[in-house]
CSV table of all heavy atoms in Angstrom, one decimal:
chain,number,residue,atom,x,y,z
A,1190,ALA,N,106.3,115.2,105.4
A,1190,ALA,CA,105.8,115.7,104.1
A,1190,ALA,C,106.9,115.4,103.0
A,1190,ALA,O,108.1,115.2,103.3
A,1190,ALA,CB,105.7,117.2,104.2
A,1191,ASP,N,106.4,115.2,101.8
A,1191,ASP,CA,107.3,114.8,100.7
A,1191,ASP,C,108.5,115.7,100.6
A,1191,ASP,O,109.7,115.2,100.3
A,1191,ASP,CB,106.6,114.8,99.4
A,1191,ASP,CG,105.5,113.7,99.3
A,1191,ASP,OD1,105.3,113.0,100.3
A,1191,ASP,OD2,104.9,113.5,98.2
A,1192,SER,N,108.4,117.0,100.8
A,1192,SER,CA,109.5,117.9,100.7
A,1192,SER,C,110.5,117.8,101.8
A,1192,SER,O,111.6,118.3,101.7
A,1192,SER,CB,109.0,119.4,100.7
A,1192,SER,OG,108.3,119.7,101.9
A,1193,GLU,N,110.2,117.1,102.9
A,1193,GLU,CA,111.2,116.9,104.0
A,1193,GLU,C,111.7,115.5,104.1
A,1193,GLU,O,112.5,115.2,105.0
A,1193,GLU,CB,110.4,117.3,105.3
A,1193,GLU,CG,110.0,118.8,105.3
A,1193,GLU,CD,109.3,119.2,106.6
A,1193,GLU,OE1,109.7,118.8,107.7
A,1193,GLU,OE2,108.2,119.8,106.4
A,1194,ALA,N,111.4,114.6,103.2
A,1194,ALA,CA,111.8,113.2,103.2
A,1194,ALA,C,113.4,113.2,103.1
A,1194,ALA,O,114.0,113.9,102.4
A,1194,ALA,CB,111.2,112.4,102.1
A,1195,ASN,N,114.0,112.3,103.9
A,1195,ASN,CA,115.4,112.1,104.0
A,1195,ASN,C,115.7,110.7,104.6
A,1195,ASN,O,115.6,110.5,105.8
A,1195,ASN,CB,116.1,113.2,104.8
A,1195,ASN,CG,117.6,113.1,104.8
A,1195,ASN,OD1,118.2,112.0,104.5
A,1195,ASN,ND2,118.3,114.2,105.0
A,1196,LEU,N,116.0,109.7,103.7
A,1196,LEU,CA,116.1,108.4,104.2
A,1196,LEU,C,117.3,108.2,105.2
A,1196,LEU,O,117.2,107.4,106.1
A,1196,LEU,CB,116.3,107.4,103.0
A,1196,LEU,CG,115.7,106.0,103.2
A,1196,LEU,CD1,114.3,106.0,103.8
A,1196,LEU,CD2,115.8,105.2,101.9
A,1197,LYS,N,118.3,109.0,105.0
A,1197,LYS,CA,119.5,108.9,106.0
A,1197,LYS,C,119.0,109.2,107.4
A,1197,LYS,O,119.5,108.7,108.3
A,1197,LYS,CB,120.6,109.8,105.5
A,1197,LYS,CG,121.4,109.4,104.3
A,1197,LYS,CD,122.4,110.4,104.0
A,1197,LYS,CE,123.0,110.0,102.6
A,1197,LYS,NZ,123.8,111.2,102.1
A,1198,GLU,N,118.0,110.1,107.5
A,1198,GLU,CA,117.5,110.5,108.8
A,1198,GLU,C,116.3,109.7,109.2
A,1198,GLU,O,115.6,110.0,110.1
A,1198,GLU,CB,117.1,112.0,108.8
A,1198,GLU,CG,118.3,112.9,108.6
A,1198,GLU,CD,117.9,114.4,108.5
A,1198,GLU,OE1,116.7,114.8,108.7
A,1198,GLU,OE2,118.8,115.2,108.1
A,1199,LYS,N,116.0,108.7,108.4
A,1199,LYS,CA,114.8,107.8,108.6
A,1199,LYS,C,113.5,108.6,108.5
A,1199,LYS,O,112.6,108.3,109.3
A,1199,LYS,CB,115.0,107.0,109.9
A,1199,LYS,CG,116.1,106.0,109.8
A,1199,LYS,CD,116.1,105.1,111.0
A,1199,LYS,CE,117.2,104.1,110.8
A,1199,LYS,NZ,117.3,103.1,111.8
A,1200,LYS,N,113.5,109.5,107.6
A,1200,LYS,CA,112.2,110.3,107.4
A,1200,LYS,C,111.7,109.9,106.0
A,1200,LYS,O,112.4,110.1,105.0
A,1200,LYS,CB,112.5,111.8,107.4
A,1200,LYS,CG,112.9,112.3,108.8
A,1200,LYS,CD,113.2,113.8,108.7
A,1200,LYS,CE,113.6,114.3,110.1
A,1200,LYS,NZ,113.9,115.8,110.0
A,1201,ILE,N,110.5,109.3,106.0
A,1201,ILE,CA,110.0,108.8,104.7
A,1201,ILE,C,108.8,109.7,104.4
A,1201,ILE,O,108.0,110.2,105.2
A,1201,ILE,CB,109.6,107.3,104.7
A,1201,ILE,CG1,108.5,107.0,105.8
A,1201,ILE,CG2,110.8,106.5,104.9
A,1201,ILE,CD1,107.9,105.6,105.7
A,1202,ALA,N,108.6,109.9,103.1
A,1202,ALA,CA,107.6,110.8,102.6
A,1202,ALA,C,106.2,110.1,102.8
A,1202,ALA,O,106.1,108.9,102.7
A,1202,ALA,CB,107.8,111.1,101.1
A,1203,SER,N,105.2,110.9,103.1
A,1203,SER,CA,103.9,110.4,103.3
A,1203,SER,C,103.3,109.8,102.1
A,1203,SER,O,102.3,109.0,102.2
A,1203,SER,CB,103.0,111.5,103.8
A,1203,SER,OG,102.9,112.6,102.9
A,1204,SER,N,103.8,110.1,100.9
A,1204,SER,CA,103.3,109.5,99.7
A,1204,SER,C,103.9,108.1,99.3
A,1204,SER,O,103.5,107.5,98.4
A,1204,SER,CB,103.5,110.5,98.5
A,1204,SER,OG,104.9,110.6,98.3
A,1205,THR,N,104.9,107.7,100.1
A,1205,THR,CA,105.5,106.4,99.8
A,1205,THR,C,104.6,105.2,100.1
A,1205,THR,O,103.7,105.4,101.0
A,1205,THR,CB,106.8,106.2,100.6
A,1205,THR,OG1,106.5,106.2,102.0
A,1205,THR,CG2,107.9,107.2,100.3
A,1206,PRO,N,104.8,104.1,99.5
A,1206,PRO,CA,103.9,102.9,99.7
A,1206,PRO,C,103.9,102.5,101.2
A,1206,PRO,O,102.8,102.2,101.8
A,1206,PRO,CB,104.5,101.8,98.9
A,1206,PRO,CG,105.1,102.5,97.8
A,1206,PRO,CD,105.7,103.8,98.4
A,1207,ILE,N,105.0,102.6,101.9
A,1207,ILE,CA,105.1,102.2,103.3
A,1207,ILE,C,104.3,103.1,104.1
A,1207,ILE,O,103.4,102.7,104.9
A,1207,ILE,CB,106.5,102.1,103.8
A,1207,ILE,CG1,107.2,100.9,103.1
A,1207,ILE,CG2,106.6,101.9,105.3
A,1207,ILE,CD1,108.7,100.7,103.4
A,1208,ALA,N,104.5,104.4,104.0
A,1208,ALA,CA,103.7,105.4,104.7
A,1208,ALA,C,102.2,105.3,104.4
A,1208,ALA,O,101.4,105.3,105.4
A,1208,ALA,CB,104.2,106.8,104.4
A,1209,GLN,N,101.9,105.2,103.2
A,1209,GLN,CA,100.5,105.1,102.8
A,1209,GLN,C,99.8,103.9,103.5
A,1209,GLN,O,98.7,103.9,103.9
A,1209,GLN,CB,100.3,105.0,101.3
A,1209,GLN,CG,100.6,106.3,100.6
A,1209,GLN,CD,99.5,107.3,100.8
A,1209,GLN,OE1,98.3,107.1,100.7
A,1209,GLN,NE2,99.9,108.5,101.3
A,1210,GLY,N,100.6,102.8,103.5
A,1210,GLY,CA,100.1,101.5,104.2
A,1210,GLY,C,99.9,101.7,105.7
A,1210,GLY,O,99.0,101.0,106.3
A,1211,LEU,N,100.7,102.5,106.3
A,1211,LEU,CA,100.6,102.7,107.8
A,1211,LEU,C,99.7,103.7,108.2
A,1211,LEU,O,99.1,103.6,109.3
A,1211,LEU,CB,102.0,103.0,108.3
A,1211,LEU,CG,103.2,102.0,108.1
A,1211,LEU,CD1,104.5,102.6,108.5
A,1211,LEU,CD2,102.9,100.7,108.9
A,1212,LEU,N,99.5,104.8,107.5
A,1212,LEU,CA,98.6,105.9,107.9
A,1212,LEU,C,97.2,105.4,108.3
A,1212,LEU,O,96.6,104.6,107.6
A,1212,LEU,CB,98.5,106.9,106.7
A,1212,LEU,CG,99.8,107.7,106.5
A,1212,LEU,CD1,99.6,108.6,105.2
A,1212,LEU,CD2,100.1,108.6,107.6
A,1213,GLY,N,96.8,105.9,109.4
A,1213,GLY,CA,95.4,105.6,109.9
A,1213,GLY,C,95.4,104.3,110.8
A,1213,GLY,O,94.3,104.0,111.4
A,1214,HIS,N,96.4,103.5,110.8
A,1214,HIS,CA,96.4,102.3,111.6
A,1214,HIS,C,96.9,102.5,113.0
A,1214,HIS,O,97.6,103.5,113.3
A,1214,HIS,CB,97.2,101.2,110.9
A,1214,HIS,CG,96.6,100.7,109.7
A,1214,HIS,ND1,95.6,99.8,109.7
A,1214,HIS,CD2,96.7,101.1,108.4
A,1214,HIS,CE1,95.2,99.5,108.4
A,1214,HIS,NE2,95.9,100.4,107.6
A,1215,LYS,N,96.6,101.5,113.9
A,1215,LYS,CA,96.9,101.6,115.3
A,1215,LYS,C,98.1,100.7,115.7
A,1215,LYS,O,98.4,99.7,115.0
A,1215,LYS,CB,95.7,101.3,116.2
A,1215,LYS,CG,94.6,102.3,116.0
A,1215,LYS,CD,93.4,101.9,116.8
A,1215,LYS,CE,92.3,102.9,116.6
A,1215,LYS,NZ,91.1,102.7,117.2
A,1216,VAL,N,98.6,100.9,116.9
A,1216,VAL,CA,99.6,99.9,117.5
A,1216,VAL,C,98.9,98.6,117.5
A,1216,VAL,O,97.8,98.4,118.0
A,1216,VAL,CB,100.0,100.4,118.9
A,1216,VAL,CG1,100.9,99.3,119.6
A,1216,VAL,CG2,100.8,101.7,118.9
A,1217,GLY,N,99.7,97.6,117.1
A,1217,GLY,CA,99.2,96.2,117.1
A,1217,GLY,C,98.7,95.8,115.8
A,1217,GLY,O,98.6,94.6,115.5
A,1218,ASP,N,98.3,96.7,114.9
A,1218,ASP,CA,97.8,96.4,113.6
A,1218,ASP,C,98.9,95.8,112.7
A,1218,ASP,O,100.1,96.2,112.8
A,1218,ASP,CB,97.3,97.6,112.9
A,1218,ASP,CG,95.9,98.1,113.4
A,1218,ASP,OD1,95.4,97.5,114.3
A,1218,ASP,OD2,95.4,99.1,112.9
A,1219,VAL,N,98.6,94.8,112.0
A,1219,VAL,CA,99.5,94.2,111.0
A,1219,VAL,C,98.9,94.6,109.6
A,1219,VAL,O,97.8,94.3,109.3
A,1219,VAL,CB,99.6,92.7,111.1
A,1219,VAL,CG1,100.5,92.1,110.0
A,1219,VAL,CG2,100.1,92.3,112.5
A,1220,VAL,N,99.7,95.3,108.8
A,1220,VAL,CA,99.2,95.8,107.5
A,1220,VAL,C,100.0,95.2,106.4
A,1220,VAL,O,101.2,94.9,106.6
A,1220,VAL,CB,99.3,97.4,107.5
A,1220,VAL,CG1,98.3,98.0,108.4
A,1220,VAL,CG2,100.7,97.9,107.7
A,1221,ASP,N,99.4,94.9,105.3
A,1221,ASP,CA,100.0,94.5,104.1
A,1221,ASP,C,100.3,95.7,103.2
A,1221,ASP,O,99.4,96.4,102.9
A,1221,ASP,CB,99.1,93.5,103.3
A,1221,ASP,CG,99.0,92.2,104.0
A,1221,ASP,OD1,99.9,91.8,104.8
A,1221,ASP,OD2,97.9,91.5,103.9
A,1222,VAL,N,101.6,95.9,102.9
A,1222,VAL,CA,102.0,97.1,102.1
A,1222,VAL,C,102.5,96.6,100.8
A,1222,VAL,O,103.4,95.7,100.8
A,1222,VAL,CB,103.0,97.9,102.9
A,1222,VAL,CG1,103.5,99.0,102.0
A,1222,VAL,CG2,102.5,98.4,104.2
A,1223,LYS,N,101.9,97.1,99.7
A,1223,LYS,CA,102.3,96.7,98.4
A,1223,LYS,C,103.5,97.6,98.0
A,1223,LYS,O,103.4,98.8,98.0
A,1223,LYS,CB,101.2,96.9,97.4
A,1223,LYS,CG,101.5,96.3,96.0
A,1223,LYS,CD,100.3,96.3,95.1
A,1223,LYS,CE,100.6,95.5,93.9
A,1223,LYS,NZ,100.4,96.2,92.7
A,1224,VAL,N,104.7,96.9,97.8
A,1224,VAL,CA,105.9,97.6,97.4
A,1224,VAL,C,106.3,97.0,96.1
A,1224,VAL,O,105.8,95.9,95.7
A,1224,VAL,CB,107.0,97.5,98.5
A,1224,VAL,CG1,106.7,98.3,99.7
A,1224,VAL,CG2,107.3,96.0,98.8
A,1225,PRO,N,107.3,97.6,95.4
A,1225,PRO,CA,107.7,97.0,94.1
A,1225,PRO,C,108.1,95.6,94.1
A,1225,PRO,O,107.9,94.8,93.2
A,1225,PRO,CB,108.9,97.9,93.6
A,1225,PRO,CG,108.6,99.2,94.3
A,1225,PRO,CD,107.9,98.9,95.6
A,1226,SER,N,108.7,95.1,95.2
A,1226,SER,CA,109.2,93.7,95.3
A,1226,SER,C,108.1,92.8,95.7
A,1226,SER,O,108.3,91.6,95.9
A,1226,SER,CB,110.4,93.6,96.2
A,1226,SER,OG,110.0,94.1,97.5
A,1227,GLY,N,106.8,93.2,96.0
A,1227,GLY,CA,105.7,92.4,96.4
A,1227,GLY,C,105.0,93.0,97.5
A,1227,GLY,O,104.7,94.2,97.6
A,1228,ILE,N,104.6,92.1,98.5
A,1228,ILE,CA,103.8,92.6,99.6
A,1228,ILE,C,104.6,92.4,100.9
A,1228,ILE,O,105.2,91.4,101.1
A,1228,ILE,CB,102.5,91.7,99.8
A,1228,ILE,CG1,101.6,91.8,98.6
A,1228,ILE,CG2,101.7,92.1,101.1
A,1228,ILE,CD1,100.9,93.0,98.4
A,1229,MET,N,104.7,93.5,101.7
A,1229,MET,CA,105.4,93.4,103.0
A,1229,MET,C,104.4,93.4,104.1
A,1229,MET,O,103.4,94.1,104.1
A,1229,MET,CB,106.2,94.7,103.2
A,1229,MET,CG,107.4,94.8,102.3
A,1229,MET,SD,108.3,96.4,102.5
A,1229,MET,CE,108.8,96.5,104.2
A,1230,LYS,N,104.6,92.5,105.1
A,1230,LYS,CA,103.7,92.5,106.2
A,1230,LYS,C,104.4,93.3,107.3
A,1230,LYS,O,105.5,92.9,107.8
A,1230,LYS,CB,103.5,91.0,106.7
A,1230,LYS,CG,102.2,90.4,106.4
A,1230,LYS,CD,101.9,89.2,107.2
A,1230,LYS,CE,100.7,88.4,106.8
A,1230,LYS,NZ,99.6,89.2,106.1
A,1231,LEU,N,103.8,94.4,107.7
A,1231,LEU,CA,104.4,95.2,108.8
A,1231,LEU,C,103.5,95.3,110.0
A,1231,LEU,O,102.3,95.6,109.8
A,1231,LEU,CB,104.6,96.6,108.2
A,1231,LEU,CG,105.5,96.7,106.9
A,1231,LEU,CD1,105.5,98.2,106.4
A,1231,LEU,CD2,106.9,96.2,107.2
A,1232,GLU,N,104.0,95.1,111.1
A,1232,GLU,CA,103.3,95.3,112.4
A,1232,GLU,C,103.7,96.6,113.1
A,1232,GLU,O,104.9,96.8,113.2
A,1232,GLU,CB,103.6,94.1,113.3
A,1232,GLU,CG,102.8,94.2,114.6
A,1232,GLU,CD,103.1,93.0,115.5
A,1232,GLU,OE1,103.8,92.0,115.1
A,1232,GLU,OE2,102.6,93.0,116.7
A,1233,ILE,N,102.7,97.3,113.5
A,1233,ILE,CA,103.0,98.6,114.1
A,1233,ILE,C,103.2,98.3,115.6
A,1233,ILE,O,102.3,97.9,116.3
A,1233,ILE,CB,101.8,99.6,113.9
A,1233,ILE,CG1,101.6,99.9,112.4
A,1233,ILE,CG2,102.1,100.9,114.7
A,1233,ILE,CD1,100.3,100.6,112.1
């Protein structure tokens, strides 16, 4: 949850672009996540 996010503990808020891009996807999926620096290709 956003109120518990702490990057030092590798806890990211569900509202962040990375979390939003990953939510609902399965192992093996490759997702394109739009971040300020462009598009990141992330494989779960």
Side-chain angles (χ1 to χ4, degrees):
D1191 292 8
S1192 62
E1193 297 178 45
N1195 182 337
L1196 210 49
K1197 287 180 191 164
E1198 296 175 10
K1199 295 191 176 179
K1200 293 180 178 181
I1201 60 170
S1203 59
S1204 63
T1205 61
I1207 291 174
Q1209 287 292 306
L1211 297 173
L1212 290 170
H1214 290 277
K1215 297 178 177 179
V1216 171
D1218 287 357
V1219 177
V1220 295
D1221 290 333
V1222 177
K1223 189 172 189 235
V1224 292
S1226 61
I1228 302 285
M1229 289 173 64
K1230 256 195 186 338
L1231 303 175
E1232 180 179 354
I1233 300 169

